Amino acid sequence: MSSKYKSLKEECYEANMELNALGLVIYTFGNVSAVDRDKAVFAIKPSGVPYETLKPEDMVILDYDNNVVDGNMRPSSDTETHSHLYKNWESIGGVAHTHAMYSVSWAQAQRDIPVFGTTHADHLTQDIPCAPPMADELIQGNYEHNTGIQILDCFKERNLDHNEVEMVLIGNHGPFAWGKNAAKAVYNSKVLETVAQMAYLTLQINPNAPRLKDSLIKKHYERKHGKNAYYGQ
Amino acid sequence: MSSKYKSLKEECYEANMELNALGLVIYTFGNVSAVDRDKAVFAIKPSGVPYETLKPEDMVILDYDNNVVDGNMRPSSDTETHSHLYKNWESIGGVAHTHAMYSVSWAQAQRDIPVFGTTHADHLTQDIPCAPPMADELIQGNYEHNTGIQILDCFKERNLDHNEVEMVLIGNHGPFAWGKNAAKAVYNSKVLETVAQMAYLTLQINPNAPRLKDSLIKKHYERKHGKNAYYGQ
Amino acid sequence: MSSKYKSLKEECYEANMELNALGLVIYTFGNVSAVDRDKAVFAIKPSGVPYETLKPEDMVILDYDNNVVDGNMRPSSDTETHSHLYKNWESIGGVAHTHAMYSVSWAQAQRDIPVFGTTHADHLTQDIPCAPPMADELIQGNYEHNTGIQILDCFKERNLDHNEVEMVLIGNHGPFAWGKNAAKAVYNSKVLETVAQMAYLTLQINPNAPRLKDSLIKKHYERKHGKNAYYGQ
Amino acid sequence: MSSKYKSLKEECYEANMELNALGLVIYTFGNVSAVDRDKAVFAIKPSGVPYETLKPEDMVILDYDNNVVDGNMRPSSDTETHSHLYKNWESIGGVAHTHAMYSVSWAQAQRDIPVFGTTHADHLTQDIPCAPPMADELIQGNYEHNTGIQILDCFKERNLDHNEVEMVLIGNHGPFAWGKNAAKAVYNSKVLETVAQMAYLTLQINPNAPRLKDSLIKKHYERKHGKNAYYGQ
């Protein structure tokens, strides 16, 4: 394996394997990428390769314009969505996509996930946005690239900050999550799936469950992420 | 073990064990078969034998008219459904039947599974059909053979292509799935179960969830199965 | 360990451990007994002993009048329910009680489990009965003995055959299951839990799901249990 | 590790690991503490440390006024809730907090968990209380300390005995449980999660499911906890 991209490929490989270990994917229904901002490239899972046979050297290295820089395999079919996020959001270091059960179900229901509790507010202050399905011409065009555009448009329209809201649902498709690195993108995918299941159950128990009140959203988010955060070591 | 059918029995055995490993069956509530088109025979799980004690040599070899060609055990009670599919659909190489939780629940609810998202459309463009329960005289007759007829009738009436729609629910009973080989039939059983759970949750979250729009169905199916498919290696 | 009851204790121990391995109990929320009809005694799990530390020699041996014949521990608090069934139903060889999730939920909902599909009909032709909660004076009296009476009364009133219907729900409490031996009682507990979950999901997908039609109930039950049964080896 | 607190730290560590093994927490979403009444200190999990790397010596020792007595790490962010319970309820020896799925969902739904069955009544005779979300000024003040006050106020208003009702839901947040020691607090967290799931399913199967009748509540609670208890060894 080319020593130049060894650590990037390993970071990407580990994150993909973790996605599988966390029960967020079956078969090949997911992919994680990791970026190297200095080299301006990212590593991504090869398309359709099962986790049992996946190796670090299988990861494909591309630049932000989707040119393969290193690797012998075809990259994930969702590659152009990842690259569009890297190109436009310079602060992010990893992206993950899954077809996890509860996240997908909210996406198929075309509903935002309301902030119902502190598990949600520990991670973000907003409802988790569900971007609408794309217009037909965007679907028929460069679909995966346009999925990236759809995500950015959704964040722009709703005035969301991708450094705070590190996850999105694509209507009828499923979730994307990101973060400072690939491991954090995987972590956010798991948090999203957990919060999605909690919100589902909450609505079954109380269809009129109220949104979490602002003071509690603020308190929980700030104690983990605010400038006076006191969570963690 | 007769060397003549050794590899066919092993393919069948592995697929049956995988069905169990995937959590699609408890006890003996399922069976997989694998066909050898050159020899015009298929291997199937013996009836009522638990997975823990199952061995490759236990697989039973039959011709398409259900005559046992090799093997000392009684074949699966569902054998005649399998053989009817092999006899009529020459392109298929494996068949799987389970009583998996969500697939069975849709079958018991006597509802087709609507295509709500891209996880579904990655595999087929149609709602997953639920064949109606059989007429009393068919049930009282050669029940398992008639189950095969019921499946074919359902596909004919709805003008479905078994090379695209590789799965069906039998009303009040459960799922059958097939594919180019036994492993693919098992894969399709797992996909069906996953899609069935997603559709169930989707309806709980939004009882008015819309069917996936045609452009998105086409896009996802074609990128995996169309002539310009770009998914996988 | 007294050699006289060694094999009975081992049968009982194995069945209790299997109950746990199948995910039907947490902590000490369940118990299985096994009868020796020749000796007119049964073995049962000791009360409140966790599965991790349970040993075959811990099983308690009692006669049908609940006198301890062998063993140093206090028997399960539900012992008198078991003995009442053994005393009155001479054909049964094992009894199991759990607080399994879906079985308990139907019991708490005070509803019979309708026969919605063939998974159910493969095992019994009737709805799974939910006996009503007991009258106050029966609860305040010899509660566990009266639970046994409640089960028998339920079967008498509904004209059910305990050799066919090998399971019952006690309203607001949970399931009891039995069979020709302790292993079969555990098997029936797992079947009940599976059928309970399927019926729950079926009603969520279609609140008006119809009961399985008689011809199909008969067909599936008879192919496994009828005099011309052709399931199994 | 200081020999003075060695056994307390080990008790606390074991209980935290058990919380994780029982599937009640993901990542760092939970914490358990254990008290030493003679020394008037308690041990608690350090904040934000994953279970895979947690060691007994990482536990932090504090007095009831939240002064760190021993340990190099920052204690759980929920520490002041624990200490408030220890200070006011002298009979308790351990406290556990989780974000377990069904417990949280009832908390987010802001509903008490009704006593629907004997699994519940085996442990307590009351509905599991859901304390309302706190007033804004309490949230903006010393939040974790005030969470402890909220729990005590809830018990006072409803005239509940914390020696019988060893669990509570905090509206929009999640569960706290306690007991005579840390292991019992973890046990109660698992019981709460189980009962929460059963109650959820019960309402799905029968939205009008009745509360368990008083005689049955009394019977089941007393046979385990009354002065003539006959459950266990």
Side-chain angles (χ1 to χ4, degrees):
Chain A
M1 177 161 55
S2 154
S3 65
K4 193 172 176 188
Y5 302 115
K6 191 166 184 285
S7 68
L8 184 62
K9 287 185 177 180
E10 279 171 356
E11 181 195 348
C12 182
Y13 167 78
E14 295 298 342
N16 274 287
M17 294 308 283
E18 175 73 359
L19 201 70
N20 188 37
L22 287 168
L24 297 172
V25 289
I26 60 163
Y27 296 119
T28 59
F29 303 2
N31 43 72
V32 190
S33 64
V35 82
D36 182 327
R37 289 290 176 188
D38 290 336
K39 300 195 179 77
V41 296
F42 65 99
I44 195 165
K45 185 179 173 292
S47 182
V49 177
Y51 291 96
E52 302 87 67
T53 60
L54 201 64
K55 294 185 298 292
E57 56 264 36
D58 295 339
M59 302 300 116
V60 186
I61 306 289
L62 303 103
D63 64 23
Y64 304 160
D65 294 319
N66 305 302
N67 301 302
V68 173
V69 171
D70 185 90
N72 301 313
M73 304 187 91
R74 188 190 288 186
S76 165
S77 57
D78 295 310
T79 294
E80 299 203 19
T81 310
H82 293 241
S83 63
H84 193 71
L85 299 184
Y86 287 131
K87 202 165 181 171
N88 287 276
W89 290 344
E90 295 186 5
S91 57
I92 69 172
V95 174
H97 170 54
T98 78
H99 284 228
M101 187 56 65
Y102 291 88
S103 306
V104 163
S105 298
W106 280 90
Q108 293 189 160
Q110 298 188 0
R111 289 184 65 176
D112 297 349
I113 302 177
V115 50
F116 278 136
T118 63
T119 317
H120 186 135
D122 280 334
H123 296 90
L124 67 166
T125 67
Q126 308 295 318
D127 295 352
I128 297 166
C130 180
M134 285 183 267
D136 285 354
E137 60 272 21
L138 293 179
I139 292 168
Q140 286 147 3
N142 187 348
Y143 174 65
E144 291 80 8
H145 177 76
N146 292 340
T147 299
I149 292 178
Q150 188 80 351
I151 294 173
L152 263 75
D153 283 354
C154 171
F155 271 61
K156 251 175 258 166
E157 272 166 37
R158 297 177 182 222
N159 203 24
L160 297 174
D161 175 358
H162 66 273
N163 291 309
E164 188 210 313
V165 179
E166 298 185 317
M167 53 193 73
V168 71
L169 303 173
I170 306 292
N172 292 123
H173 185 169
F176 280 84
W178 50 88
K180 66 178 174 182
N181 55 34
K184 186 70 194 307
V186 170
Y187 171 91
N188 283 331
S189 300
K190 179 69 175 179
V191 167
L192 167 52
E193 179 67 3
T194 303
V195 166
Q197 186 176 358
M198 286 174 172
Y200 159 74
L201 292 169
T202 300
L203 284 179
Q204 300 293 311
I205 297 170
N206 183 358
N208 301 313
R211 201 170 178 273
L212 189 59
K213 59 186 195 168
D214 287 344
S215 59
L216 209 41
I217 293 175
K218 191 168 187 300
K219 178 66 195 179
H220 267 263
Y221 188 73
E222 303 263 311
R223 79 173 188 168
K224 259 191 149 170
H225 307 278
K227 66 173 185 288
N228 296 315
Y230 52 92
Y231 185 95
Q233 299 299 321
Chain B
M1 177 161 55
S2 155
S3 65
K4 193 172 176 187
Y5 302 114
K6 191 165 184 287
S7 69
L8 184 62
K9 286 184 178 182
E10 279 171 355
E11 180 196 347
C12 182
Y13 167 79
E14 295 297 342
N16 274 287
M17 294 307 284
E18 175 73 0
L19 202 68
N20 188 37
L22 287 169
L24 298 172
V25 289
I26 61 161
Y27 296 120
T28 60
F29 302 2
N31 43 72
V32 190
S33 64
V35 81
D36 182 327
R37 289 289 176 189
D38 291 337
K39 300 196 180 79
V41 297
F42 65 99
I44 195 165
K45 185 178 171 295
S47 182
V49 177
Y51 292 96
E52 302 86 68
T53 60
L54 201 64
K55 294 184 298 292
E57 55 265 36
D58 295 338
M59 302 300 116
V60 187
I61 305 289
L62 302 104
D63 65 22
Y64 303 159
D65 295 318
N66 305 302
N67 301 303
V68 173
V69 171
D70 185 90
N72 301 314
M73 304 186 91
R74 187 190 290 186
S76 166
S77 57
D78 295 311
T79 294
E80 299 203 19
T81 311
H82 292 241
S83 64
H84 192 70
L85 299 184
Y86 286 130
K87 203 164 181 171
N88 287 276
W89 290 344
E90 296 186 4
S91 57
I92 68 172
V95 174
H97 170 55
T98 78
H99 284 228
M101 186 56 66
Y102 291 89
S103 305
V104 164
S105 298
W106 280 91
Q108 293 190 160
Q110 298 188 1
R111 290 184 65 176
D112 297 349
I113 302 177
V115 49
F116 279 136
T118 62
T119 318
H120 187 135
D122 280 335
H123 296 91
L124 68 166
T125 67
Q126 307 295 319
D127 294 353
I128 297 167
C130 181
M134 285 183 267
D136 286 354
E137 60 272 22
L138 294 179
I139 292 168
Q140 286 147 3
N142 187 348
Y143 173 65
E144 291 81 9
H145 177 76
N146 292 340
T147 299
I149 291 177
Q150 189 79 351
I151 294 172
L152 264 75
D153 283 353
C154 171
F155 271 61
K156 250 174 258 165
E157 273 165 38
R158 298 178 181 221
N159 203 24
L160 297 174
D161 175 359
H162 66 272
N163 291 309
E164 187 210 313
V165 179
E166 297 185 317
M167 53 192 73
V168 71
L169 303 174
I170 307 292
N172 291 122
H173 186 169
F176 281 83
W178 50 88
K180 66 179 174 180
N181 55 33
K184 185 71 193 306
V186 170
Y187 171 91
N188 282 330
S189 300
K190 179 68 176 179
V191 167
L192 168 50
E193 179 67 3
T194 303
V195 166
Q197 187 176 356
M198 285 174 173
Y200 160 72
L201 292 169
T202 299
L203 284 178
Q204 300 293 312
I205 298 170
N206 182 359
N208 302 313
R211 201 172 179 273
L212 189 60
K213 59 187 195 167
D214 286 344
S215 59
L216 208 42
I217 294 175
K218 193 168 187 301
K219 177 67 196 179
H220 267 264
Y221 187 71
E222 302 264 313
R223 78 174 188 166
K224 258 192 150 169
H225 305 279
K227 63 173 185 291
N228 297 315
Y230 52 92
Y231 185 93
Q233 299 299 321
Chain C
M1 176 161 56
S2 155
S3 65
K4 193 172 176 186
Y5 301 115
K6 192 166 184 287
S7 68
L8 184 61
K9 286 185 178 181
E10 279 171 355
E11 181 195 347
C12 182
Y13 168 78
E14 295 296 343
N16 274 286
M17 294 308 282
E18 176 73 0
L19 202 68
N20 189 36
L22 288 169
L24 297 172
V25 290
I26 61 162
Y27 296 120
T28 60
F29 302 3
N31 43 72
V32 190
S33 64
V35 82
D36 182 326
R37 289 290 176 189
D38 291 336
K39 300 196 180 77
V41 296
F42 65 99
I44 195 164
K45 185 178 173 294
S47 182
V49 177
Y51 292 97
E52 302 86 69
T53 61
L54 201 63
K55 293 184 299 291
E57 55 266 35
D58 295 338
M59 302 299 115
V60 186
I61 306 289
L62 303 104
D63 66 22
Y64 303 160
D65 294 319
N66 305 302
N67 302 302
V68 173
V69 171
D70 185 272
N72 301 314
M73 304 186 92
R74 186 190 290 186
S76 165
S77 57
D78 295 310
T79 295
E80 299 204 20
T81 310
H82 292 241
S83 64
H84 193 71
L85 299 184
Y86 287 131
K87 202 164 182 173
N88 286 276
W89 290 344
E90 296 186 4
S91 56
I92 68 172
V95 174
H97 170 54
T98 77
H99 284 229
M101 187 56 65
Y102 291 88
S103 306
V104 163
S105 297
W106 280 90
Q108 293 190 161
Q110 298 188 1
R111 289 184 66 176
D112 297 349
I113 302 177
V115 50
F116 279 137
T118 63
T119 317
H120 186 135
D122 280 335
H123 296 91
L124 68 165
T125 67
Q126 308 295 317
D127 294 352
I128 297 166
C130 181
M134 285 184 267
D136 286 353
E137 60 272 23
L138 294 179
I139 292 167
Q140 285 146 4
N142 187 348
Y143 173 65
E144 292 79 11
H145 177 75
N146 292 340
T147 299
I149 292 177
Q150 189 79 352
I151 294 173
L152 263 76
D153 283 354
C154 171
F155 272 61
K156 252 175 256 166
E157 272 166 36
R158 298 178 182 219
N159 203 22
L160 296 174
D161 176 358
H162 66 272
N163 291 310
E164 187 210 314
V165 179
E166 298 185 317
M167 53 192 73
V168 71
L169 302 174
I170 307 292
N172 291 122
H173 186 170
F176 281 84
W178 50 88
K180 66 178 174 181
N181 55 33
K184 187 70 193 306
V186 171
Y187 171 91
N188 283 331
S189 300
K190 179 69 177 180
V191 167
L192 168 50
E193 179 67 2
T194 303
V195 166
Q197 187 176 357
M198 285 173 173
Y200 159 72
L201 292 169
T202 300
L203 285 178
Q204 300 294 311
I205 297 171
N206 183 359
N208 302 312
R211 201 170 178 273
L212 189 60
K213 60 187 197 168
D214 287 344
S215 58
L216 209 41
I217 293 175
K218 192 170 187 302
K219 177 67 196 179
H220 267 263
Y221 188 72
E222 302 263 312
R223 79 173 187 166
K224 258 192 149 168
H225 306 278
K227 64 173 186 290
N228 297 314
Y230 52 92
Y231 185 93
Q233 298 300 320
Chain D
M1 177 161 55
S2 154
S3 65
K4 192 171 177 188
Y5 303 115
K6 191 165 184 289
S7 68
L8 184 62
K9 287 184 176 181
E10 279 171 355
E11 181 196 347
C12 182
Y13 168 78
E14 294 297 342
N16 274 287
M17 294 307 284
E18 175 74 0
L19 202 69
N20 188 37
L22 288 169
L24 297 172
V25 289
I26 60 162
Y27 296 120
T28 59
F29 302 2
N31 42 73
V32 190
S33 64
V35 82
D36 182 328
R37 289 290 176 187
D38 291 337
K39 300 196 179 76
V41 296
F42 65 100
I44 196 165
K45 184 178 173 293
S47 182
V49 177
Y51 291 95
E52 301 86 68
T53 61
L54 200 64
K55 294 184 298 292
E57 56 265 36
D58 295 339
M59 302 300 115
V60 186
I61 306 289
L62 303 104
D63 64 24
Y64 304 159
D65 295 319
N66 305 302
N67 301 302
V68 173
V69 171
D70 185 271
N72 302 313
M73 304 187 92
R74 188 189 290 184
S76 165
S77 57
D78 295 311
T79 294
E80 298 203 21
T81 310
H82 293 241
S83 64
H84 193 70
L85 299 184
Y86 286 130
K87 202 164 182 173
N88 287 276
W89 290 344
E90 295 186 5
S91 57
I92 68 172
V95 174
H97 170 55
T98 78
H99 284 228
M101 187 56 65
Y102 291 89
S103 307
V104 164
S105 298
W106 280 91
Q108 293 190 160
Q110 298 188 1
R111 290 183 64 175
D112 297 349
I113 302 177
V115 50
F116 279 136
T118 63
T119 317
H120 186 135
D122 280 335
H123 297 90
L124 67 166
T125 68
Q126 308 296 317
D127 295 352
I128 297 166
C130 180
M134 285 184 266
D136 286 353
E137 61 272 21
L138 294 179
I139 291 168
Q140 286 147 2
N142 187 347
Y143 174 65
E144 291 80 9
H145 177 76
N146 292 340
T147 299
I149 292 177
Q150 188 80 351
I151 294 173
L152 264 76
D153 283 353
C154 171
F155 271 62
K156 252 174 257 166
E157 273 165 36
R158 299 178 180 218
N159 203 23
L160 296 174
D161 175 359
H162 66 273
N163 291 309
E164 187 211 313
V165 179
E166 298 184 318
M167 53 192 73
V168 71
L169 302 173
I170 306 291
N172 292 123
H173 185 170
F176 281 84
W178 50 88
K180 66 178 174 182
N181 54 33
K184 186 71 193 306
V186 170
Y187 170 91
N188 283 331
S189 300
K190 179 69 176 180
V191 167
L192 168 51
E193 179 67 4
T194 303
V195 166
Q197 186 176 358
M198 285 174 173
Y200 160 73
L201 292 169
T202 300
L203 284 178
Q204 300 293 312
I205 297 171
N206 182 358
N208 301 313
R211 202 171 177 272
L212 189 61
K213 60 188 196 166
D214 287 343
S215 58
L216 208 42
I217 293 174
K218 192 168 187 297
K219 177 67 195 178
H220 267 263
Y221 187 73
E222 301 264 312
R223 79 174 187 166
K224 259 192 148 169
H225 307 279
K227 64 172 186 288
N228 297 314
Y230 51 93
Y231 185 94
Q233 298 299 321

